Amino acid sequence: PPVDVQLEGVGRLESPEAELALYRIVQEALTNALRHSGAGKIRVRLERCDGAVVAAVSDDGVGFDVDAVLAHQDGEHGLGLFGMRERAEYVGGRVEIDSEEGRGTTVRAAVPAAGAAASLPADPFRDVRRD
């Protein structure tokens, strides 16, 4: 499927570890979309919002029950979702997974930007939920 990439100037992240974590989270989200979603289109956005750098990977694929997959973590897909959350938390970030069967999936990841406060804002995804 075609991948639409939208990048805004985001500056530096708080640490090299945060940069690597965000890269790996986006990589995993793209891999999941390509392998599992059956999507006709995938979109990747990267932007700076309220002291965080936020990445969003969205697809128009089959979607899935996030809670059920995370509860079992017995398949490759569940472990990948869990790994994305672990990577983000390790660098003071957060991952949000929004999906529903038949509706597609959006994975959002936020990590602190350089010069930002030590923690993320209460809702770092507020401005990127317009997918």
Side-chain angles (χ1 to χ4, degrees):
V3 178
D4 176 35
V5 179
Q6 299 175 346
L7 305 174
E8 292 187 16
V10 295
R12 308 255 336 133
L13 297 183
E14 190 62 33
S15 68
E17 293 83 10
E19 290 180 11
L20 180 60
L22 191 59
Y23 172 81
R24 294 291 188 198
I25 291 165
V26 169
Q27 181 181 41
E28 179 70 21
L30 275 170
T31 298
N32 286 345
L34 291 167
R35 283 187 185 163
H36 306 292
S37 75
K41 185 171 71 172
I42 300 170
R43 180 178 176 194
V44 179
R45 289 176 39 207
L46 185 68
E47 60 190 281
R48 187 177 178 127
C49 300
D50 295 330
V53 174
V54 180
V57 179
S58 304
D59 68 63
D60 63 355
V62 297
F64 63 99
D65 183 333
V66 177
D67 293 333
V69 171
L70 288 172
H72 291 97
Q73 295 178 23
D74 56 358
E76 175 183 328
H77 198 65
L79 292 175
L81 298 179
F82 180 75
M84 286 189 278
R85 286 187 167 167
E86 288 284 304
R87 283 183 187 277
E89 289 172 8
Y90 177 73
V91 297
R94 209 161 48 217
V95 168
E96 176 181 272
I97 303 162
D98 180 22
S99 187
E100 189 175 305
E101 292 181 25
R103 192 180 56 93
T105 302
T106 299
V107 175
R108 296 176 191 91
V111 297
S119 61
L120 293 176
D123 187 2
F125 306 117
R126 180 187 71 238
D127 294 333
V128 294
R129 283 199 187 96
R130 49 187 191 267
D131 292 347

